[in-house]
Amino acid sequence: MSNSIFNLPSEMKGCRIHFVGIKGTGMVALVEILKTRGAVITGSDVSERFYTDEILDKLGITAKEFSENNVTDGVQCVIYSSAYNPQENPDLRKATELGIPMMLYTEALGAVSRTAFSCGVCGVHGKTTTTGLTGTLLKKLPLNSQILAGSIISSFGNSCTLTNMNEGRNYFVAETCEYQRHFMAFSPKKIILTSVESDHQDYYPTFEDIQRAFVDYACLLPEHGQLIYCADDKGAVETAKIAKEKRPDVSLIPYGINADGDYKLTLGDISRGRQNFNIRLAGDFILAIPGLHNARNSCAAVALCCELLKEENLDPRDYFGKLKEGLLEFRGGKRRSEIIGRVRNSTGTEIIVLDDYGHHPTAIKTTLEGYRDFYKGHKIIVDFMSHTYTRTAALLEEFASSFGSADVVILNKIYGSARENAEAANVTGETLASHAKKYHDNVIYAGEFDEAAAKAIELLKQPLDARYPDGYLFVTMGAGDNWKVGKKVIDEFSL
C-alpha cells in the first residue's frame, strides 16, 4: 500500500510519475490518461516485448529494466502494479528509501476518479467491451470525457483510452475490477453492472462473497447515484435489489430484454454480419460484432450515455442519430472477438481465425452462441485454455458443458496463476477434457500448443460438406496465451 497519502491533481502539467510494471494493460491505460493531463512519465518492466509496447512507443516512452537508478528525488509519485512487492522490487525499495509517495494501480485509478464526474463499469463478464462501447459513443457526444478500458479498443485508435475534449465538466468512465475488491478505491457517481456470478474462487470462495463485494461497490454511490444493471442477469438483479435495501436513495436503472422502462432491449434479425435490435428510448440500432451479450453491452452503453446527457441538461433524443452512428463503428477490442486473420486452405476454403478472452463458462457459452448465429454456414473449431486451477475445479461441470455451439473442441493444459500451487490442484486440462466428452461428441485434448496447432491444422485441411458452405471459423479462447495456437494456424496457411 501507499507509504503516504498523495492525491493526484486534475491538472498534472510537469508532474513526474514513475510506473513500475508499466507494460500491464491497466497501467499503460493510466499512463495514457495521465500523460494527456500533462504528467511526465517514466516506467520500468521486464524486457519481454508485449502488445502494450506499441502504445508506449506511440507515447515516446521506453520501459527500462527494473533498477534503483530509475527512481530519483525528482520523482513525485510512484505507481505500481500489484504484481510487484515493495520489499523486493528495486524501484519500489528505492522509492521507500527516498520517502516518495507510492500508490497501487487501483489506488491511482481511484485518485483519478476523484478529479472528475466518474462512472465505473463492473461485472464478471463484459466490462472491457461495455467500456469500449461507451467510449465509442461518447466520442460522438458534446461531453468532455476520458475513457479507460482494460484492453486495446480499435475505435479508440488502437489504444486503451480515449480523450474527448469539449466544454463543461470532466466525465471519466473506467473499467473497474472486482478481483480482491480493487474497485473499492474508485469513486463512482454512476455504475454499470453487467453480471454477478461465482468467479475468482481463490479470493471469493462462495457466490455470496463475490456478491457482497459488488453490493459494497454499489454502496459507494453518492446520494441519488445511479446503478445501471442488467435485468437479464440473475446475479445482477439480486445484487441491485440488495444494494437498494441498503441504500434506498440509489436509483436503479435496468437494461436488457427483461427490463422495464427506457432501456428495454428487443432483438431483431442477424444478417450479413450485422445484428439489429431496438432500445425502447432510442429506437433501432445495428451492431457489427457478434453475440446477444454484446447487444446487452450496447444497451448498457446507450443507457449510461443518455443519463450523462441528462446531467448536462441535454435531451438524449437530440443525439440518437449520433449514438447509432457510433455503435455501428464499433469493432471490438483486442482479444474480444478479435479477428486475427483470414487465410485459405489448399481447396480454397476460407478460414477465419478469431481470438477471444472468454475464460468463464457463461462467457464461453454466450460468446460461442453468438458466433453460431453470426457466422452461419461456418464450421466452428475452438481451442480453449482454462485459466487457474481454482476456477476450473470450482466450475468444472459448467466449463465442460459450455461448448455446445462449437463443432470441434480442442482443450489445452490449464494456465495456472502464480498465486496457486499446481501440484496441489485436483484438476488438470485432461480432467476438463474427460468431463467435456460427456456433453460434446468431438473433444480433443492437446496439452501443448504445438500439438494443439497440429490437430487444428489437420482438421482445417479437410474438405467441408454442404452444412458449411462459408468455410471454417477457428477460435482461440481463454485468458492464457493459447492465442499462439491461432498464430501457428495462420503461419501454416499463409505459406
Side-chain angles (χ1 to χ4, degrees), residues 143-220:
L143 300 176
N144 188 34
S145 56
Q146 282 193 309
I147 301 88
L148 183 153
S151 184
I152 289 175
I153 305 295
S154 59
S155 51
F156 288 11
N158 287 322
S159 171
C160 300
T161 66
L162 181 71
T163 299
N164 183 32
M165 301 306 294
N166 288 286
E167 297 299 321
R169 86 174 98 181
N170 293 322
Y171 292 96
F172 180 53
V173 178
E175 176 178 341
T176 56
C177 182
E178 72 278 5
Y179 183 60
Q180 294 184 342
R181 301 172 72 93
H182 284 159
F183 51 22
M184 294 302 290
F186 199 78
S187 295
K189 299 289 195 298
K190 301 180 192 293
I191 290 174
I192 289 177
L193 176 61
T194 63
S195 54
V196 180
E197 60 180 293
S198 186
D199 197 10
H200 305 298
Q201 286 78 11
D202 60 316
Y203 189 79
Y204 300 115
T206 69
F207 169 74
E208 288 73 23
D209 292 328
I210 195 169
Q211 183 180 53
R212 194 175 301 116
F214 282 105
V215 169
D216 289 347
Y217 183 44
C219 288
L220 291 180

Side-chain angles (χ1 to χ4, degrees), residues 349-350 352 375-379 464 467-472:
T349 301
E350 184 181 53
I352 300 172
Y375 293 102
K376 290 183 175 74
H378 288 78
K379 185 170 186 175
L464 290 170
R467 290 175 297 166
Y468 308 111
D470 298 329
Y472 285 102

Side-chain angles (χ1 to χ4, degrees), residues 31-70:
V31 166
E32 291 184 278
I33 292 288
L34 299 187
K35 190 167 174 62
T36 64
R37 298 187 179 191
V40 177
I41 306 288
T42 57
S44 57
D45 212 311
V46 295
S47 58
E48 183 183 351
R49 189 167 176 85
F50 297 94
Y51 73 86
T52 51
D53 278 294
E54 297 172 19
I55 298 174
L56 294 173
D57 290 345
K58 284 194 290 186
L59 296 172
I61 298 170
T62 301
K64 301 175 183 178
E65 293 191 22
F66 297 124
S67 167
E68 63 177 19
N69 297 326
N70 295 330

Side-chain angles (χ1 to χ4, degrees), residues 30 122 129 248 258 339 385 468 475:
L30 192 58
C122 71
T129 300
N258 294 318
I339 293 177
M385 185 179 210
Y468 308 111
V475 181

Side-chain angles (χ1 to χ4, degrees), residues 159-469:
S159 171
C160 300
T161 66
L162 181 71
T163 299
N164 183 32
M165 301 306 294
N166 288 286
E167 297 299 321
R169 86 174 98 181
N170 293 322
Y171 292 96
F172 180 53
V173 178
E175 176 178 341
T176 56
C177 182
E178 72 278 5
Y179 183 60
Q180 294 184 342
R181 301 172 72 93
H182 284 159
F183 51 22
M184 294 302 290
F186 199 78
S187 295
K189 299 289 195 298
K190 301 180 192 293
I191 290 174
I192 289 177
L193 176 61
T194 63
S195 54
V196 180
E197 60 180 293
S198 186
D199 197 10
H200 305 298
Q201 286 78 11
D202 60 316
Y203 189 79
Y204 300 115
T206 69
F207 169 74
E208 288 73 23
D209 292 328
I210 195 169
Q211 183 180 53
R212 194 175 301 116
F214 282 105
V215 169
D216 289 347
Y217 183 44
C219 288
L220 291 180
L221 287 165
E223 188 174 5
H224 306 304
Q226 294 177 324
L227 179 62
I228 302 168
Y229 71 97
C230 182
D232 301 339
D233 183 87
K234 181 182 177 184
V237 171
E238 289 179 359
T239 301
K241 181 181 177 184
I242 296 169
K244 184 72 171 177
E245 289 170 356
K246 287 177 172 284
R247 285 284 307 280
D249 63 290
V250 167
S251 297
L252 299 186
I253 300 180
Y255 70 89
I257 294 169
N258 294 318
D260 291 323
D262 288 344
Y263 305 112
K264 181 175 179 60
L265 176 67
T266 303
L267 301 177
D269 66 331
I270 301 171
S271 61
R272 298 190 301 278
R274 294 182 173 191
Q275 55 175 325
N276 298 274
F277 55 86
N278 178 277
I279 299 172
R280 179 179 285 166
L281 176 69
D284 296 328
F285 287 83
I286 300 171
L287 183 64
I289 60 171
L292 166 59
H293 58 295
N294 282 322
R296 289 194 183 102
N297 293 339
S298 300
C299 195
V302 169
L304 179 56
C305 288
C306 287
E307 295 305 315
L308 290 178
L309 286 166
K310 292 176 187 177
E311 291 289 336
E312 293 293 313
N313 294 316
L314 298 172
D315 189 340
R317 290 174 296 184
D318 294 337
Y319 299 93
F320 289 163
K322 290 291 184 184
L323 293 174
K324 293 173 186 183
E325 191 180 293
L327 193 62
L328 190 54
E329 291 177 7
F330 186 74
R331 290 295 183 275
K334 191 162 188 68
R335 304 218 62 208
R336 271 71 179 179
S337 296
E338 180 188 11
I339 293 177
I340 304 301
R342 295 173 184 263
V343 291
R344 292 185 182 274
N345 64 17
S346 59
T347 66
T349 301
E350 184 181 53
I351 303 165
I352 300 172
V353 180
L354 188 150
D355 183 50
D356 190 83
Y357 189 70
H359 57 279
H360 186 283
T362 302
I364 296 163
K365 184 174 185 294
T366 57
T367 300
L368 291 176
E369 286 173 350
Y371 296 161
R372 175 57 71 201
D373 288 337
F374 205 74
Y375 293 102
K376 290 183 175 74
H378 288 78
K379 185 170 186 175
I380 300 176
I381 301 173
V382 59
D383 179 273
F384 176 71
M385 185 179 210
S386 193
H387 181 225
T388 79
Y389 292 92
T390 51
R391 181 186 285 122
T392 309
L395 303 175
L396 182 59
E397 293 306 316
E398 289 90 337
F399 273 115
S401 60
S402 64
F403 302 101
S405 294
D407 294 290
V408 184
V409 183
I410 302 171
L411 295 174
N412 308 145
K413 65 183 180 183
I414 293 172
Y415 184 81
S417 163
R419 301 182 300 270
E420 300 179 306
N421 178 4
E423 293 178 0
N426 61 357
V427 65
T428 65
E430 288 175 295
T431 311
L432 176 56
S434 67
H435 281 255
K437 287 175 181 176
K438 295 189 296 185
Y439 303 95
H440 202 289
D441 294 334
N442 203 341
V443 176
I444 300 165
Y445 178 71
E448 303 300 330
F449 295 160
D450 284 345
E451 183 188 359
K455 291 283 187 185
I457 289 164
E458 179 186 337
L459 291 167
L460 293 166
K461 286 181 176 178
Q462 296 174 3
L464 290 170
D465 60 38
R467 290 175 297 166
Y468 308 111

